[in-house]
Amino acid sequence: QVQLVESGGGLVQPGGSLTLSCAASGSIGSITVMGWYRQAPGPQRELVATITNDERTNYADSVKGRFTISRDNAKNTVSIQMNSLKPEDTAVYYCNVQNSMWSYWGQGTQVTVSP
């Protein structure tokens, strides 16, 4: 059974920083893509950033230059450093980990950006 455990969410003022981390455990096999998605109130979950096993990254336009994604392949962890946070970054952030066959999701961690 695969488990993704997220940490690092919370309340931060506009302009502040947070780091989210996600650790994958269990019989996950060879991980290909790791990433973060977010969902504000509403049905749409949007991509924040992804990173492949050869360190290629992809960012949503709204976070480019502010967020940095990284991974540790030895520990099966993925992190995202979020700087210059804005109120519109407020959402539940979900970790996603993929292998060649399956896509796994974490339980989500709340990030709230408010004065």
Side-chain angles (χ1 to χ4, degrees):
Q1 186 173 354
V2 174
Q3 187 175 21
L4 303 184
V5 178
E6 299 152 340
S7 61
L11 173 64
V12 64
Q13 292 186 342
S17 298
L18 279 176
T19 299
L20 306 181
S21 296
C22 172
S25 61
S27 302
I28 198 167
S30 180
I31 296 174
T32 53
V33 182
M34 306 182 85
W36 290 92
Y37 292 73
R38 67 187 181 187
Q39 187 166 10
Q44 195 78 9
R45 185 175 295 186
E46 64 174 3
L47 178 144
V48 178
T50 59
I51 183 167
T52 65
N53 53 3
D54 58 354
E55 307 289 331
R56 286 176 292 140
T57 58
N58 180 46
Y59 293 93
D61 287 343
S62 60
V63 307
K64 282 180 181 177
R66 301 189 296 124
F67 291 11
T68 302
I69 191 170
S70 61
R71 64 188 280 174
D72 184 329
N73 291 329
K75 297 180 179 179
N76 285 346
T77 59
V78 60
S79 299
I80 189 163
Q81 172 70 39
M82 305 185 295
N83 298 326
S84 303
L85 283 161
K86 305 175 181 180
E88 51 263 44
D89 294 317
T90 296
V92 178
Y93 284 69
Y94 295 91
C95 172
N96 176 260
V97 173
Q98 300 176 31
N99 59 24
S100 60
M101 293 182 62
W102 304 103
S103 179
Y104 302 94
W105 293 92
Q107 78 284 359
T109 185
Q110 177 71 44
V111 171
T112 302
V113 185
S114 179

